[in-house]
Structure formats: C-alpha cells, structure tokens
C-alpha cells in the first residue's frame, strides 16, 4: 500500500469515545496540536449502553473530572433529562450523583465541542500501527496508508478492537450498535509487547416506549440537587421521569428452560464479563433464590420513543428476548426497537502501564478506558483525562500528575489498575476507596482544581470561580464558629430530644449534636444566600470532623511510604529476605515507591520491611 503524509502534530488520540474525548481535549486545551483518529465521526461521545452519567462512585469520578477541567460533567449537564442523588439516606461519603441524559444530544454536543476546540483536528479512519523508533513513539499509520507524525499517542479504542457481537446463535464481526469494528491494531499491540486479553460486556434491548404500559409501572421522578459541573448553578425544575419494574418467576423460568440457547452457557462466549453488571441470565442462575430483579426503564432521549431497560441485559436469541421482556408487568405488549447483545473485545493487561498510564516499554505511548480493562463511561473518561494530561505534561517537559489514593477516586482507579491489575472488567465502587470520607463528591474542586490549574487545563474563569467558592466556604465556617443566641439554641436542642443547654454553644456545636444545618439556618435566619453546595461541604466537614482527623492521620502514614522512592532498575531478585512471590510481583510491576509496593497483591508487610532495610543501607 502506498503511504502518504497525513500531517504532523504533537499527539494522536485513537478513539473518540469517553476516554478519547477527554484525552483529546486535555491535550488540545493545553496548547498541543492534536489529531483524533476515530472509526466514525458519528461515534464521538457515543453512549453504546445506558443513557446516563454518574451513579455510585461514578458520580464522584465525574465531579473530579470536572474539577480538573474535563468536559464530561459540563456535557452531561447540558444534556440531562433527570437527576437523582443515590444513597441519600446513607452517609455523605457514599452519596453519588446520577443523571439520565439525552444520548443523541450528548454525542452532538461532544462533537460540537470538538469542532470548536482550538488545536484539535478530527479525522475519520482506522489506526493500523503505532510507529516506534528507539523505544519512542514517532507516529501512527492508518489503514489507508496515511502517516500521522507525532511524539505521543493515546490509545482509547473502547470495545471496538477486535469486537464481535453475539445474540443467540448469531455472531457478527462488528462493534457496538452496528458500528464498524477495528481489526488491525491488536496485532501491532502484541508486537509492541502488550499482554492482550479478551473481555466481554453487554447491553439490554431498547423498547418502543409507545408499547409500554407505564400505568402498571412505578414512576421514579427526578430530584432537585446540584449539577455535575462546579461551573453550573442548578438543575432543571422540570425533569423526565424514569420507571421501576421487576422480573418475576415466569421471567426466570423461561430463561432457565432455555439456557442451552444462551451463549453465556452453551460455550459461544468464553471471555470474561463484568461481575457488577451481569446479564439477566447470570443473575437468574447465580441468585436462584431471588424472587425478582429490579429493572429501570429510562428514556434514551427527548426526541425519541426508545426506552432503555436497565437490569435486563442479555445475549439470548431474538425470539426468546421478546418472550422474556413480555413476562414483565407493564411490558406484556412491548415491541423491541433494538435487540440486546453481548460484545467481546480486545484489551490489555493494565499492569503493563505506569501510574501516568504510559506504556512501560514505549515512551510517549498511553492507553485509557476499556482497553485498560475497565467498564463504564466515567471510568473511561477519568483515565482519558489523566492519560491526555500526562501526555501533555510530558510533551511540555513538565512533571507528571499522579493522583494519590487519598486525593481522588481517579487516584484509586488508576492505582488499582497499575498496581493490582484486573482479571475482569473493572468498575469503580465507593468500597474501593479507603479514604472515601475525604473523597466526597461535594469537595472535588477543593481537592483537585489547583492541580488542574497548575497543569494548564483549568482556565482563569474556572479558577476564579473556584477561589470565590473557597472564600465562601471559609466565610461560612467562620460564621458557624460564632455563638448562637442562647434561647433559640436551647429550644432547637430540646426539640431534638436533648436536655436543656447549661452553657453557650456555637452553630457548629449544634451541627455536631446532629441538628441539620437547614434547621439552624431557618431558626436563626443565617446563611440565607449561601450556595447549597458550599453549605453541604461546610456541614459535612463539621459533622465528621473527628473521623476526618483520624483519616488525616492514616493519610500521613501513607504519604511517608509514598515519599520513599524505589529505583526503576532495582534488581529485586538480588535482595535477600524477599519471598519468591514478592520478587516476581515487584519485578513485574516495578512500583515507583514503597507505598505502591505495599499495595501489590502478594507483597507482605514483611517484604516491605525488607525493602525499607535495603533502602536504608543504600
């Protein structure tokens, strides 16, 4: 094939899904000429699965992406149909924002952002080869012979690489939603030394909403909460409802009677699927004692009647799918607009990566998103942002940005991937974060916006607003530390079942007694104009001050270990006292410091003690 020049740029991003979008924008917005190479321009920011952003722990990721200067939160707010705060009845640490979004509008909006971003070029085509010379990236070759000369590449191929969709007995060599798949890059990645694996995910059917009997379903209205982006003030007053439904014994029996036709159980699918988002076949088999499974019917957009059935993902044949869906109350006469399917795809072993998401063997080569073994739009976007930003910092000759586990859910996500690895599609959960009370979604900007500003991604307008919010919070805390009027305070305390006060108290003391700030504001007519998110942060910090102090002490210990670097060329095989497994794991992962070494599965506290002694003797 005749080769030709497709141009010269600083960086190429392969893929324009949620990881590719954040990577490309991070590079371009920090002043680097960037080319986005994508199979189809109609797949920019496309949502092949659920039409939503956020969710448990995922909402934290979106707020962190926004705080660092990313786009996902802003785009989601522009396209939102409904907001809900998950786990609202639980502690502040696990409350997570989730929004239904207009799928088509999200794609259109993200494409519009691309087209109006300086330094960013969009190119439709397939990447065939990463060009490497002397261990460094020098370009990308397309399937059509075009050569994009560059110094950095971010691979964000999502589920398109080597993709095939499976529905019953029908297997198609295709990407999600009927899009073309990528076929050429896997062989090149293997040649570069990546460990290539096969993972699986799936999606439910989309129903024609006109054939759903919503009167037999339970409405799930939206809520008045704060938006994803710290640049936005509020959420729409009028929101689109979702609906709650359930499977039943008829549903389950129909599936059990036809497992021989289920690709997950007849051997057609052998790749590893997501543990925390299983198909309905898996749920029925695994939880055989459960009488029903919860389903949510969610609108795909404001301009379509298509409805997404969350919780009913399947790869059963079309005839069985229709029967299964029609066993659900309210769906007895439903018509399927798009049938469900499973999809297999190629991905890499994330242990091949540095904490910057750069490949260990090739300078300037980064990977992000589902190619790293994760699942979910939010996990992908978070990695894309960090891969793009670190590529930008490297190209500009600046130190990398590596977020610690105590600083961000993004730090937990990436540390898990590059330190522990994953043998199944990785999903972020609040339980993965040991410092989750510190990593709340309400304080994401206070934790991260300074980093984004120093890296050049957060611009002056956002930074000015961040500083203003920071001042507002300080003013709120200062006021709450002042003395409350005694008689009114005494009445409020007794209203909550406590004995009369014997001494004066501050507003903060009342919060520590468990009295909501909303009641305090109303009783004393204070902070009436203060922003709701500022009040939430201040109230949480006061209420959980004791727990936060203990968390800070644990974080200080972690920082001490993180401050002890390990030489990148350290010969672990020569260190006597290390167990065999520890030597193998340390040599494979090559941790940057003692803190990362301590988190490697198979490295014991005794091994860390040996390393500390070794370092002290050097």
């Amino acid at each position: 094939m005749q080769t030709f020049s497709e141009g010269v740029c600083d960086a190429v991003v392969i893929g324009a899904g949620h990881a590719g979008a954040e990577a490309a924008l991070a590079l371009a917005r920090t002043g680097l000429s960037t080319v986005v190479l994508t199979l189809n321009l109609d797949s920019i920011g496309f949502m092949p699965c659920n039409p939503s952003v956020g969710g448990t722990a995922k909402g934290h990721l979106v707020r962190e992406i926004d705080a660092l200067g990313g786009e996902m939160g802003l785009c989601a707010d522009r396209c939102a149909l409904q907001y809900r705060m998950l786990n609202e009845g639980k502690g502040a640490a696990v409350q997570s924002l989730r929004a239904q979004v207009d799928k088509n509008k999200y794609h259109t909006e993200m494409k519009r952002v691309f087209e109006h971003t300086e330094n960013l070029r969009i190119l439709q085509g397939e990447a065939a080869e990463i060009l490497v010379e002397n261990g460094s990236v020098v370009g990308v070759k397309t399937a059509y012979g075009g050569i994009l000369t560059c110094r950095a590449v971010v691979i964000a191929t999502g589920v398109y690489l080597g993709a095939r969709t499976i529905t019953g007995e029908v297997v198609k060599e295709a990407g999600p939603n009927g899009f073309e798949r990528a076929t050429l890059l896997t062989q090149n990645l293997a040649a570069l030394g990546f460990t290539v694996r096969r993972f699986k995910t799936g999606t439910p059917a989309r129903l024609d909403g006109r054939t759903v009997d919503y009167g037999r379903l339970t409405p799930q209205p939206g809520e008045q909460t704060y938006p994803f982006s710290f640049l936005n003030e509020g959420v729409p007053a009028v929101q689109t409802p979702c609906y709650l439904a359930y499977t039943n014994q008829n549903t389950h029996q129909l599936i059990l009677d036809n497992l021989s036709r289920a690709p997950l159980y007849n051997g057609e699918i052998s790749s590893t699927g997501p543990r925390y988002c299983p198909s309905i076949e898996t749920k029925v088999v695994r939880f055989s004692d459960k009488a029903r499974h919860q389903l949510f019917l969610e609108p795909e957009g404001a301009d379509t009647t298509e409805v997404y059935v969350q919780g009913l993902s399947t790869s059963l044949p079309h005839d069985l799918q229709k029967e299964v869906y029609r066993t659900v109350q309210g769906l007895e006469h439903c018509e399927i607009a798009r049938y469900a399917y499973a999809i297999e795809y190629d991905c890499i072993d994330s242990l091949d990566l540095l904490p910057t998401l750069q490949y260990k063997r090739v300078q300037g080569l980064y990977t992000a998103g589902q190619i790293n073994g994760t699942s979910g739009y939010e996990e992908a976007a978070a990695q894309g942002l960090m891969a793009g930003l670190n590529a930008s910092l490297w190209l500009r000759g600046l130190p990398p940005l590596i977020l610690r586990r105590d600083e961000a859910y993004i730090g937990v996500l990436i540390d898990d991937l590059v330190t522990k690895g994953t043998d199944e599609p990785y999903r972020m959960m609040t339980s993965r974060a040991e410092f989750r009370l510190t990593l709340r979604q309400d304080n994401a900007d206070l934790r991260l916006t300074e980093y984004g500003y120093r890296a050049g991604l957060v611009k002056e307008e956002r930074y000015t607003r961040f500083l203003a919010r920071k001042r507002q919070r300080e003013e709120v805390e200062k006021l709450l530390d002042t003395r409350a009027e005694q008689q009114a305070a005494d009445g409020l305390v007794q209203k909550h079942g406590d004995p009369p006060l014997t001494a004066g108290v501050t507003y903060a003391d009342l919060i520590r007694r468990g009295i909501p700030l909303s009641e305090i504001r109303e009783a004393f007519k204070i902070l009436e104009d203060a922003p709701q998110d500022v009040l939430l942060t201040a109230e949480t910090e006061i209420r959980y001050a004791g727990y936060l102090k203990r968390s800070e002490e644990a974080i200080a210990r972690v920082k001490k270990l993180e401050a002890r670097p390990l030489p990148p060329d350290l010969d672990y095989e020569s260190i006597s006292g290390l167990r065999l497994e520890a030597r193998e794991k340390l040599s494979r992962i090559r941790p940057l410091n003692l803190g990362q070494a301590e988190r490697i599965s198979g490295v014991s506290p005794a091994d860390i003690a040996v390393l500390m002694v070794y370092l002290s003797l050097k």
Side-chain angles (χ1 to χ4, degrees):
M1 180 185 294
Q2 182 69 40
T3 60
F4 64 98
S5 175
E6 267 287 8
V8 179
C9 59
D10 292 313
V12 173
V13 177
I14 301 172
H18 304 285
E22 295 293 348
L25 291 171
L27 282 155
R29 287 170 171 172
T30 51
L32 297 168
S33 59
T34 305
V35 175
V36 178
L37 181 62
T38 180
L39 289 170
N40 192 323
L41 298 189
D42 294 331
S43 65
I44 292 173
F46 181 67
M47 294 179 162
C49 199
N50 53 319
S52 70
V53 170
T56 304
K58 294 168 178 281
H60 292 71
L61 290 174
V62 180
R63 295 275 282 180
E64 291 180 353
I65 290 165
D66 182 74
L68 286 164
E71 186 64 30
M72 175 174 263
L74 285 164
C75 193
D77 284 341
R78 290 194 296 271
C79 306
L81 300 172
Q82 182 202 94
Y83 289 88
R84 288 181 70 87
M85 187 65 72
L86 306 185
N87 299 325
E88 202 161 19
K90 300 181 181 179
V94 297
Q95 293 174 8
S96 301
L97 186 61
R98 185 180 189 271
Q100 290 303 129
V101 300
D102 188 312
K103 175 181 288 190
N104 290 330
K105 186 177 180 183
Y106 191 96
H107 151 69
T108 303
E109 279 292 302
M110 193 62 79
K111 187 169 183 284
R112 181 189 62 79
V113 170
F114 272 36
E115 292 171 342
H116 291 82
T117 297
E118 193 176 351
N119 303 316
L120 187 58
R121 174 190 169 197
I122 311 168
L123 176 62
Q124 182 166 297
E126 181 181 353
E129 184 180 355
I130 311 299
L131 303 177
V132 176
E133 292 181 5
N134 301 319
S136 297
V137 165
V138 295
V140 175
K141 182 180 178 181
T142 74
Y144 307 97
I147 303 295
L148 286 159
T149 302
C150 63
R151 290 194 296 134
V153 171
V154 179
I155 304 174
T157 47
V159 299
Y160 288 83
L161 199 57
R164 68 171 197 155
T165 60
I166 305 102
T167 310
E169 299 86 3
V170 179
V171 178
K172 290 189 175 182
E173 308 295 311
N177 203 52
F179 281 116
E180 182 183 359
R181 69 175 188 156
T183 62
L184 302 175
L185 199 57
T186 299
Q187 186 175 353
N188 176 231
L189 294 179
L192 290 173
F194 280 103
T195 303
V196 178
R197 302 183 294 183
R198 294 284 282 180
F199 276 0
K200 175 202 85 76
T201 188
T203 189
R206 276 62 163 182
L207 307 182
D208 183 341
R210 297 171 299 177
T211 64
V212 174
D213 185 353
Y214 291 108
R216 305 192 69 196
L217 306 179
T218 305
Q220 294 283 297
E223 299 172 347
Q224 288 300 305
T225 182
Y226 51 78
F228 282 115
S229 178
F230 289 93
L231 293 179
N232 294 328
E233 297 298 331
V235 303
V238 179
Q239 300 182 25
T240 306
C242 297
Y243 292 86
L244 180 63
Y246 294 93
T247 62
N248 52 56
Q249 287 301 323
N250 291 334
T251 315
H252 302 177
Q253 195 58 53
L254 180 60
I255 291 169
L256 292 171
D257 290 344
N258 288 277
L259 284 181
S260 62
R261 298 186 65 196
L264 282 168
Y265 291 92
N266 65 16
E268 181 60 50
I269 295 176
S270 57
S271 50
T272 306
R275 178 191 302 264
Y276 301 104
C277 189
S279 68
I280 189 63
E281 300 96 291
T282 301
K283 286 192 281 191
V284 168
V285 171
R286 185 182 297 168
F287 307 108
S288 57
D289 59 334
K290 200 164 185 178
R292 63 180 189 173
H293 294 281
Q294 198 173 56
L295 310 174
F296 290 95
L297 273 70
E298 303 167 344
E300 290 263 298
D303 60 351
T304 177
T305 64
E306 288 187 61
V307 177
Y308 179 93
V309 188
Q310 185 195 150
L312 204 53
S313 175
T314 182
S315 57
L316 290 168
H318 283 194
D319 62 303
L320 273 174
Q321 284 191 37
K322 181 170 286 193
E323 287 187 65
V324 166
Y325 278 85
R326 287 183 172 180
T327 62
V328 176
Q329 180 174 300
L331 307 186
E332 292 91 346
H333 305 290
C334 72
E335 294 292 351
I336 294 177
R338 303 180 199 237
Y339 281 90
Y341 59 86
I343 184 167
E344 292 183 322
Y345 55 95
D346 293 332
C347 58
I348 66 156
D349 185 345
S350 56
L351 292 179
D352 289 334
L353 305 175
L354 294 168
T356 58
L357 296 181
Q358 180 177 267
Y359 180 41
K360 292 176 180 177
R361 299 189 184 188
V362 179
Q363 197 168 42
L365 181 56
Y366 300 77
T367 60
Q370 284 181 277
I371 190 172
N372 287 346
T374 59
S375 68
Y377 309 146
E378 301 80 6
E379 290 89 341
Q383 293 170 74
L385 176 72
M386 297 306 294
L389 195 50
N390 274 311
S392 170
L393 291 166
W394 177 72
L395 287 167
R396 288 181 282 152
L398 297 173
L401 176 59
I402 299 173
L403 298 173
R404 300 191 309 271
R405 297 180 71 91
D406 61 277
E407 292 181 309
Y409 270 84
I410 294 175
V412 175
L413 164 65
I414 293 175
D415 184 66
D416 278 353
L417 291 174
V418 303
T419 304
K420 302 175 182 178
T422 182
D423 294 324
E424 61 187 28
Y426 177 102
R427 177 180 178 179
M428 177 50 69
M429 296 178 291
T430 54
S431 59
R432 296 189 190 274
E434 53 269 58
F435 304 113
R436 54 186 171 273
L437 186 56
T438 303
L439 307 182
R440 304 183 313 277
Q441 56 183 5
D442 67 271
N443 68 1
D445 62 335
L446 298 172
R447 292 184 278 114
L448 299 175
T449 297
E450 195 73 49
Y451 283 125
Y453 182 67
R454 290 205 297 261
L457 188 55
V458 167
K459 304 307 179 187
E460 288 299 331
E461 178 193 357
R462 176 185 283 269
Y463 191 63
T464 299
R465 293 182 66 168
F466 160 69
L467 292 177
R469 181 177 182 268
K470 197 173 179 182
R471 285 193 298 272
Q472 285 178 319
R473 180 191 167 196
E474 291 166 356
E475 291 167 3
V476 167
E477 289 179 340
K478 185 176 180 181
L479 188 147
L480 292 175
D481 272 334
T482 61
R483 187 69 63 89
E485 195 275 319
Q486 182 80 11
Q487 186 175 353
D490 200 44
L492 198 55
V493 165
Q494 292 186 60
K495 176 186 171 183
H496 280 262
D498 288 345
L501 293 171
T502 58
V505 293
T506 65
Y507 299 115
D509 290 331
L510 295 175
I511 292 173
R512 282 188 280 269
R513 285 173 173 262
I515 299 173
L517 180 54
S518 58
E519 289 188 31
I520 297 170
R521 291 173 67 206
E522 185 177 346
F524 297 96
K525 305 302 178 187
I526 60 171
L527 301 171
E528 293 179 307
D529 297 325
Q532 193 62 40
D533 57 345
V534 171
L535 294 174
L536 173 63
T537 301
E539 181 178 19
T540 305
E541 293 281 336
I542 291 169
R543 176 157 290 143
Y544 297 103
Y547 295 101
L548 288 168
K549 184 177 180 181
R550 274 183 287 192
S551 181
E552 287 172 8
E553 292 168 355
I555 289 170
R557 175 188 171 277
V558 171
K559 284 182 178 178
K560 285 183 180 180
L561 289 174
E562 300 280 353
R564 300 288 299 276
L566 291 167
D569 57 351
L570 183 59
D571 182 6
Y572 293 101
E573 296 294 336
S574 67
I575 302 176
S576 60
L578 284 179
R579 295 173 307 109
L580 178 60
E581 182 182 8
R583 293 180 186 182
E584 291 175 352
K585 293 289 183 67
L586 291 164
S587 298
R588 167 81 167 90
I589 296 169
R590 308 215 67 82
L592 300 183
N593 51 60
L594 278 177
Q596 186 184 2
E598 186 183 44
R599 295 188 295 273
I600 297 173
S601 174
V603 176
S604 69
D607 296 316
I608 296 300
V610 169
L611 287 175
M612 292 177 75
V613 171
Y614 178 84
L615 292 174
S616 67
L617 296 175
K618 289 294 178 180

